[in-house]
Amino acid sequence: MEVIKMELIKADVTVVGGGIAGICAAIAAARQGLQVSLINDRPVLGGNASSEVRVHINGSAYLGNSPSYYAREGGLVEELKLKIFHYNPVYNKKLMLSLSDTVLLDMVYGEPNISLFLNTCVHETGMENGRIKWVEGLQLASERKFRFESQSYIDCSGDGVVGYQAGALFRWGREAKHEYKEELAPEVADHYTMGDTILFQARDVEYSVPYKRPGFAYDITKLAFFDSIRKGLNHRALPRKINGLGGLWWLEYGGHMDIIKNNEDIALELRKLVYGIWDYIKNSGEFDDVDNLILDYVCPIPGKRESRRFIGDHMLSQNDLTAKPHFEDAVSVGGWYMDLHANKGIYDDGPATAWNFVPGLYNIPFRSLYSRNIPNLMFAGRNISATHVAFGSTRVMATCGCMGQAVGTAASLCLKYEVDPAAIVEDHMGELQALLLRDGQTIVGLQEELDPYFADGLTIRASSQRSYNNLHPSEEIPLEKGLCLVFPIQTAEAESVRIKIKNSSEHSETLHVKLFGGERKENYIPTSELKDYRLVIAAGHDDWITLNLGCKKPADDKIYIVLEGTTSLAVYGNEEKMTGAVSFHYRSEEPSRLKKFNKSICFKDLLPSQNMYSPENVVNGFSRPYGLPNSWISKRTEGQEWLEFCFASPKNLDEIHLVFNSQLDLEHFNDPIESLIQDYDMTLTLEDGTESKIITRGNYLTLNKHKVDAKRVTRIRINFCATYGSPYFEVFAVKWFAPKIDK
């Protein structure tokens, strides 16, 4: 009998797990020049975002409802989301996720430094002097065995298979309230985790199809929770529209068991429930238009939420997410609510989950992404060093991907300096953060410094600049419920602003005006009242009025104007997005949770005047709104606009990066992102007067990188030709990088 021989695979870093975290870790490391082994135990990439499991890649934008407003992640997660949409411009969940597999494979196969091992299960980890020496994997379909050796290892396997085999310290279940002073934690610690869910897809085939419940499935009308879901209680409601249904997230089970050891039992229980619920939908007579529906797809494996969480040099806790202390080693962001699911899932008497408020974007420290006791082990995903409560927020996939980018980039510094991750915190954190910012990663409050090599004598010009006003009212927005207009200001004080208002009644009405300020630049949360007064609006008034502001600039650089009136009063607005200046529904009972709506209140004549969209903003070190909009925006145009940069002395250039506005207030997008710049030309003028040109057509990414390798450049001119629909051209950042030998 032939013995299967072990194949030795050597690389700079080994990444175990091909979900969103593992993919981002592998790509980040590969783009830094490392040789990467990426190991995945499934036939497709994406983990819970794959076509097998079919969960959306949610993250810090919290489905577009984040109080930070501009909250969608940057970096590799942004790139993969935009690429998935680019290859599937017609939004459809089923199609999107099958194309997601293709896009993720394409991104990985596009990196020559990555060796991908699909269908490969890591079953043993070798140790030497307390360090991981190798991991071994078995690829069943090909009957091959591999031993993977590298300097560092990144566990993105979800369940933490490598860390567990290596003996890394970990937590399981819920911590007691006293341990980390978490208000949301139970009084006594326990072993409860969040459970698993199997999603499914319904489809209309346009002819009647009967359904007979299989013998193993439940008659759910006889189960204890049936009345609850029939009545739509505790967040467990069956929708009335079933065609295209992508599953039921609350159909959850297993959190009261060992979620790993009992994996197959949990999967069987979920299948019994899925097919039983489909029987009820098809055959109970309580649902309309289901005769032509089939159960088109049932996920073959459950989507797992929680199991092991490793212990790093910092355990991220509830207070880190809410109080947001400063982390010197911040490397990525989160922002999803602390979404804590019921212990027993569908069989729990309480609500399916509790969405506990998180006040906008928070930073995640690098010390939560490596093991306290295994020196060369890092991790990203749902197995990071976080309490159960904090994990309720960090577990979503876009957040996991950002952590993956952080550890993949850190692996390059571990190799460069021949050190372990803990030493990066002590000696190389500034370099790690600079690399991450260069590659589009969001870190709250961190500003890139303009290289003095380029800053000395730099002059910037633009073809035009948008005024800081919203002048084109197209509809009336009633004020029977409060509205809030928020605009950032640069000046030390704000004196007044004009809005257009209409009183449709035959008698005067009172407009209640309240002014607020905020505390944190990344947020749109009013925290302190600055002024409260009332204005009488005459009967039949239909014109602009002046609002007295008379307040100093708050800590978050924003003025919040709350307008409350009657059914007869309305302000004028439009559907035009204006970066920085946004409008909300206002709820006085929950002022920190401004409810977004897709309209903008018109305003003009803000005094003192604000030079808000200056071309100089593109080199201020911020690549997204933070307090101020931090962008250059052209005037409204149907033609071309341009930015021009002139250097006092010739410069050698290695790369040029452009960062465009991709509407970071959205989590997902159903249509092309209108503000993205689609077509542009870049002309580099050299000292001898010769020119080189870069022509870009059909761009769909936020971050555009151009390798230029140009010597003695004196001027750069960027001509912008087309967006995806916006009448404005908008740029957040332009970055230049010189060859290292020239600095």
Side-chain angles (χ1 to χ4, degrees):
M1 182 177 177
E2 183 179 355
V3 177
I4 301 175
K5 294 182 181 179
M6 185 76 70
E7 301 176 45
L8 179 62
I9 309 296
K10 291 190 175 184
D12 297 316
V13 61
T14 299
V15 179
V16 178
I20 300 303
I23 290 168
C24 291
I27 292 175
R31 290 182 181 178
Q32 293 296 330
L34 274 62
Q35 296 296 319
V36 181
S37 295
L38 174 59
I39 308 167
N40 192 37
D41 62 357
R42 304 299 304 170
V44 294
L45 295 171
N48 280 350
S50 72
S51 60
E52 286 187 316
V53 185
R54 305 196 174 195
V55 179
H56 279 306
I57 304 172
N58 294 326
S60 56
Y62 190 62
L63 303 177
N65 296 311
S66 169
S68 285
Y69 198 82
Y70 301 103
R72 193 171 78 245
E73 299 82 357
L76 286 171
V77 170
E78 173 79 349
E79 180 181 333
L80 70 86
K81 277 192 171 185
L82 290 170
K83 283 187 173 180
I84 290 170
F85 181 75
H86 175 70
Y87 286 103
N88 178 34
V90 179
Y91 189 84
N92 172 284
K93 185 172 183 180
K94 178 185 173 185
L95 183 59
M96 182 199 75
L97 287 165
S98 61
L99 280 167
S100 171
D101 294 346
T102 307
V103 171
L104 297 178
L105 278 170
D106 192 49
M107 288 181 69
V108 169
Y109 286 144
E111 299 295 333
N113 288 346
I114 298 178
S115 297
L116 175 62
F117 299 83
L118 294 173
N119 293 305
T120 302
C121 180
V122 171
H123 61 87
E124 189 172 354
T125 298
M127 305 294 293
E128 185 177 283
N129 299 322
R131 304 171 62 84
I132 299 175
K133 180 68 175 177
W134 47 259
V135 298
E136 288 185 359
L138 178 62
Q139 196 174 58
L140 291 174
S142 64
E143 297 184 348
R144 297 172 71 186
K145 287 183 179 179
F146 305 100
R147 173 171 286 186
F148 300 92
E149 292 185 358
S150 60
Q151 175 179 313
S152 58
Y153 295 81
I154 301 175
D155 190 335
C156 300
S157 65
D159 285 338
V161 58
V162 174
Y164 178 68
Q165 292 171 3
L169 299 171
F170 68 92
R171 305 297 295 260
W172 185 292
R174 304 187 298 177
E175 291 79 9
K177 180 177 294 188
H178 68 85
E179 191 169 356
Y180 292 94
K181 297 180 173 58
E182 296 178 304
E183 286 299 315
L184 297 175
E187 294 292 339
V188 179
D190 57 39
H191 281 77
Y192 285 139
T193 63
M194 298 188 206
D196 296 356
T197 295
I198 285 181
L199 297 177
F200 57 89
Q201 188 88 30
R203 181 166 63 93
D204 189 340
V205 294
E206 299 183 352
Y207 58 86
S208 181
V209 181
Y211 175 78
K212 181 175 176 57
R213 173 168 50 92
F216 68 83
Y218 286 131
D219 176 354
I220 68 158
T221 65
K222 297 180 179 179
L223 298 179
F225 59 76
F226 174 69
D227 282 342
S228 177
I229 66 168
R230 188 181 185 191
K231 296 174 182 176
L233 304 177
N234 294 324
H235 310 311
R236 299 184 182 97
L238 288 168
R240 305 313 302 175
K241 184 179 179 181
I242 305 299
N243 184 30
L245 178 65
L248 303 165
W249 62 265
W250 46 260
L251 191 61
E252 182 178 356
Y253 181 74
H256 58 300
M257 305 166 69
D258 186 324
I259 208 82
I260 296 176
K261 181 179 179 180
N262 299 114
N263 182 75
E264 295 308 309
D265 295 332
I266 293 167
L268 175 58
E269 182 71 9
L270 287 167
R271 291 187 189 104
K272 292 178 179 180
L273 291 165
V274 166
Y275 289 102
I277 282 182
W278 187 248
D279 173 52
Y280 172 63
I281 289 172
K282 282 285 287 187
N283 298 323
S284 67
E286 296 186 18
F287 295 84
D288 299 327
D289 301 322
V290 297
D291 287 349
N292 295 354
L293 299 186
I294 63 168
L295 194 56
D296 191 42
Y297 184 86
V298 177
C299 297
I301 57 175
K304 190 174 290 185
R305 289 184 175 86
E306 180 183 10
S307 53
R308 302 182 184 103
R309 290 171 284 106
F310 292 118
I311 299 177
D313 279 343
H314 181 82
M315 183 71 74
L316 201 69
S317 69
Q318 175 185 344
N319 296 316
D320 292 330
L321 277 55
T322 54
K324 299 199 272 192
H326 176 70
F327 291 127
E328 291 287 345
D329 60 330
V331 290
S332 66
V333 296
W336 189 262
Y337 277 27
M338 289 174 285
D339 182 7
L340 303 176
H341 285 230
N343 302 329
K344 298 179 181 179
I346 189 68
Y347 293 104
D348 203 290
D349 294 332
T353 192
W355 288 281
N356 298 284
F357 182 65
V358 169
L361 290 172
Y362 57 83
N363 281 331
I364 296 173
F366 184 56
R367 286 167 297 141
S368 293
L369 306 182
Y370 61 82
S371 172
R372 177 186 293 178
N373 68 313
I374 307 296
N376 61 338
L377 173 64
M378 291 182 280
F379 26 76
R382 57 184 176 84
N383 58 6
I384 70 160
S385 180
T387 65
H388 171 82
V389 172
F391 161 86
S393 173
T394 63
R395 65 188 176 84
V396 289
M397 283 182 281
T399 302
C400 294
C402 292
M403 294 186 280
Q405 181 169 353
V407 294
T409 305
S412 70
L413 296 184
C414 290
L415 182 69
K416 176 181 178 180
Y417 295 109
E418 297 184 345
V419 296
D420 292 323
I424 300 297
V425 176
E426 297 298 324
D427 302 319
H428 308 289
M429 184 48 58
E431 185 175 357
L432 174 57
Q433 290 170 330
L435 288 172
L436 290 169
L437 292 175
R438 174 173 175 158
D439 288 332
Q441 183 88 309
T442 299
I443 305 173
V444 177
L446 212 57
Q447 186 175 15
E448 292 180 88
E449 295 182 7
L450 179 59
D451 192 329
Y453 176 73
F454 296 109
D456 185 30
L458 174 68
T459 59
I460 305 174
R461 296 193 308 136
S463 54
S464 67
Q465 178 180 325
R466 182 175 184 173
S467 299
Y468 196 41
N469 51 47
N470 187 2
L471 290 176
H472 307 287
S474 61
E475 59 185 297
E476 301 168 16
I477 308 172
L479 284 177
E480 74 271 15
K481 294 183 179 179
L483 296 177
C484 182
L485 167 62
V486 190
F487 50 78
I489 61 169
Q490 301 164 304
T491 54
E493 296 182 344
E495 297 174 7
S496 63
V497 69
R498 290 170 65 79
I499 64 170
K500 190 173 184 182
I501 192 165
K502 179 178 181 178
N503 180 2
S504 58
S505 74
E506 297 179 356
H507 51 81
S508 62
E509 298 282 0
T510 299
L511 174 68
H512 189 183
V513 180
K514 291 186 285 190
L515 304 183
F516 293 88
E519 297 175 357
R520 301 194 65 98
K521 295 180 188 295
E522 73 273 14
N523 285 344
Y524 279 72
I525 300 179
T527 56
S528 57
E529 187 171 308
L530 307 176
K531 189 169 290 190
D532 184 325
Y533 62 90
R534 287 168 168 79
L535 291 176
V536 176
I537 309 298
H541 179 92
D542 189 4
D543 204 350
W544 295 87
I545 63 169
T546 299
L547 299 181
N548 176 39
L549 302 178
C551 57
K552 294 182 179 180
K553 180 170 68 173
D556 70 344
D557 297 338
K558 305 179 192 77
I559 303 291
Y560 302 77
I561 304 177
V562 173
L563 305 170
E564 297 176 314
T566 66
T567 55
S568 301
L569 284 181
V571 290
Y572 281 88
N574 55 31
E575 294 185 355
E576 188 170 287
K577 285 181 176 285
M578 187 174 186
T579 302
V582 298
S583 302
F584 295 93
H585 294 291
Y586 179 75
R587 296 177 289 190
S588 58
E589 69 277 11
E590 293 182 305
S592 64
R593 306 189 194 194
L594 298 182
K595 185 181 178 183
K596 184 177 176 181
F597 77 131
N598 295 317
K599 302 184 191 304
S600 298
I601 298 171
C602 292
F603 69 94
K604 67 176 183 177
D605 299 337
L606 175 61
L607 296 176
S609 62
Q610 310 287 315
N611 185 28
M612 192 60 70
Y613 300 120
S614 165
E616 284 79 10
N617 290 340
V618 301
V619 295
N620 72 1
F622 291 108
S623 296
R624 63 170 56 210
Y626 178 69
L628 302 177
N630 299 315
S631 64
W632 165 72
I633 307 179
S634 73
K635 286 184 177 179
R636 194 179 185 95
T637 181
E638 295 181 359
Q640 292 190 3
E641 298 285 336
W642 50 263
L643 278 172
E644 185 178 87
F645 307 89
C646 293
F647 303 111
S649 58
K651 306 299 178 186
N652 296 336
L653 286 169
D654 181 35
E655 283 188 66
I656 300 175
H657 294 183
L658 308 177
V659 183
F660 301 138
N661 178 5
S662 56
Q663 293 184 13
L664 298 170
D665 56 304
L666 305 175
E667 180 86 85
H668 307 290
F669 17 89
N670 299 342
D671 301 298
I673 298 174
E674 292 188 355
S675 58
L676 265 178
I677 294 176
Q678 181 177 197
D679 301 332
Y680 61 94
D681 304 329
M682 185 157 49
T683 302
L684 279 63
T685 303
L686 309 185
E687 185 180 27
D688 61 5
T690 60
E691 294 181 344
S692 62
K693 199 165 190 176
I694 298 169
I695 299 174
T696 300
R697 296 293 181 266
N699 167 61
Y700 58 89
L701 297 175
T702 304
L703 174 59
N704 282 233
K705 297 182 178 182
H706 297 282
K707 189 78 173 175
V708 294
D709 191 22
K711 306 293 185 183
R712 305 195 67 74
V713 177
T714 59
R715 187 182 73 165
I716 301 170
R717 172 88 168 239
I718 310 171
N719 291 309
F720 301 104
C721 309
T723 67
Y724 284 90
S726 173
Y728 305 94
F729 292 97
E730 183 166 5
V731 180
F732 280 137
V734 178
K735 309 176 191 180
W736 309 287
F737 301 96
K740 293 181 180 179
I741 58 173
D742 296 319
K743 297 178 66 174

